[in-house]
Amino acid sequence: MSILFVIAALQAAPPPVDPILIPPREDAQTQSPSPAMARTQRLLSCMRVAASDPAAAIAEGARWALTDGGIEAELCLGLGYENSGDWDAAERAYMRAHGFAEAAGDTRGTGILANAGRMALRNGDPASARDRFGVVLADSSLSDSVRGNVLIERSQAHVALEDGDAAQADLVAAQALLPNDSSVWLLSATLARRQGDFDTAGDFIDRALELDQTDPANLLEAGNIAIGLNAYDIAQQAWSRAAAADPDGPSGQAAARNLERLAALLAEDPGVPVELPDQSPGIEETDPQG
């Protein structure tokens, strides 16, 4: 999930762009764009290309870097590499862009560093991701929405580093900033369940379902929590709804398989408690972030 740059949704022109990417708007009476605005327009074009043809965006960024280069050229490269799934190359491009921004005192540096942190997390380096997100969160100018999303990203780094308490602290902080975002409550519920705190997990998933009762990921997790409490009927209801809502998606398919396995387990011995999702090879869950 991109935090600051809306990348995946760039399917039409003009694309939605976070203000951190672009300099202030030029005066309407200006006859020709300034060099800064010309670079911005070129970057916007690269963003549109990257959404459908990452290789072309990478080629454009490479050409650009050989001429005047700078922040925008590296962002163009980073966008191309990110959309192609080359997390390592994207991370390096974003870090070069961040270096240029820092040297120039450009306010976009914080947002660029957040993107570098996301790439580090995807590239299997949660420690670097955590540290970069920490620097980003130290910026007092962040909006509540951006801060909340960065906290969510950092919580994933904490989970990868097996620091569940730090992860849950970040998620609780994100809940206060994004109280109507069901994904925050879903992530909190999943982590609480994995930590064995089923009462708290139940409270969190109840809030997620209040916000979105049809999300198959919420329904799948509700079933997983119910199984942890040996509430078979509730688990069956939640998984049945998830399977019906998303028959071809990962949450719906996992729920359907869980229903089959739960039925088999109960048929063997209805009196034997069903094991928790994380402890049993028979019960599946999906990554709420993926």
Side-chain angles (χ1 to χ4, degrees), residues 168-191:
Q168 197 63 276
D170 276 353
L171 289 173
V172 169
Q175 291 170 11
L177 297 170
L178 304 170
N180 296 318
D181 185 337
S182 66
S183 68
V184 179
W185 300 94
L186 170 60
L187 288 165
S188 300
T190 300
L191 180 57

Side-chain angles (χ1 to χ4, degrees), residues 19-26 34 36-37 40 72 108:
I20 204 162
L21 270 177
I22 59 178
R25 186 179 299 275
E26 300 264 330
S34 68
M37 188 55 66
T40 296
E72 290 82 8
R108 292 174 292 178

Side-chain angles (χ1 to χ4, degrees), residues 51-260:
S52 59
D53 190 350
I58 293 168
E60 164 66 359
R63 285 191 298 269
W64 197 354
L66 290 174
T67 54
D68 54 339
I71 299 171
E72 290 82 8
E74 296 299 342
L75 288 175
C76 181
L77 277 168
L79 293 166
Y81 284 124
E82 180 176 354
N83 279 272
S84 70
D86 189 339
W87 316 131
D88 180 64
E91 179 185 358
R92 287 186 277 112
Y94 287 139
M95 286 305 296
R96 290 193 298 270
H98 177 257
F100 282 126
E102 288 290 287
D106 192 304
T107 58
R108 292 174 292 178
T110 298
I112 295 168
L113 187 61
N115 262 19
R118 288 193 303 104
M119 294 302 99
L121 187 57
R122 293 186 182 184
N123 199 36
D125 186 1
S128 292
R130 175 201 58 198
D131 294 344
R132 289 170 188 165
F133 293 142
V135 173
V136 172
L137 290 166
D139 186 341
S140 61
S141 69
L142 295 180
S143 68
D144 285 353
S145 175
V146 170
R147 185 175 298 279
N149 279 288
V150 175
L151 284 165
I152 292 172
E153 294 279 8
R154 191 172 69 172
S155 77
Q156 301 307 295
H158 286 313
V159 168
L161 293 167
E162 300 183 354
D163 190 346
D165 290 341
Q168 197 63 276
D170 276 353
L171 289 173
V172 169
Q175 291 170 11
L177 297 170
L178 304 170
N180 296 318
D181 185 337
S182 66
S183 68
V184 179
W185 300 94
L186 170 60
L187 288 165
S188 300
T190 300
L191 180 57
R193 172 178 57 77
R194 290 173 177 172
Q195 293 178 311
D197 186 353
F198 287 93
D199 288 339
T200 299
D203 290 340
F204 288 153
I205 201 61
D206 283 347
R207 176 57 178 159
L209 288 168
E210 285 177 10
L211 292 167
D212 191 343
Q213 298 181 14
T214 63
D215 186 339
N218 289 346
L219 293 165
L220 173 65
E221 184 57 38
N224 291 347
I225 293 169
I227 281 296
L229 297 169
N230 290 317
Y232 306 154
D233 290 344
I234 295 175
Q236 287 173 325
Q237 292 172 16
W239 284 340
S240 294
R241 290 178 60 193
D246 188 30
D248 299 320
S251 294
Q253 291 179 352
R257 288 190 291 269
N258 286 352
L259 285 168
E260 294 175 0

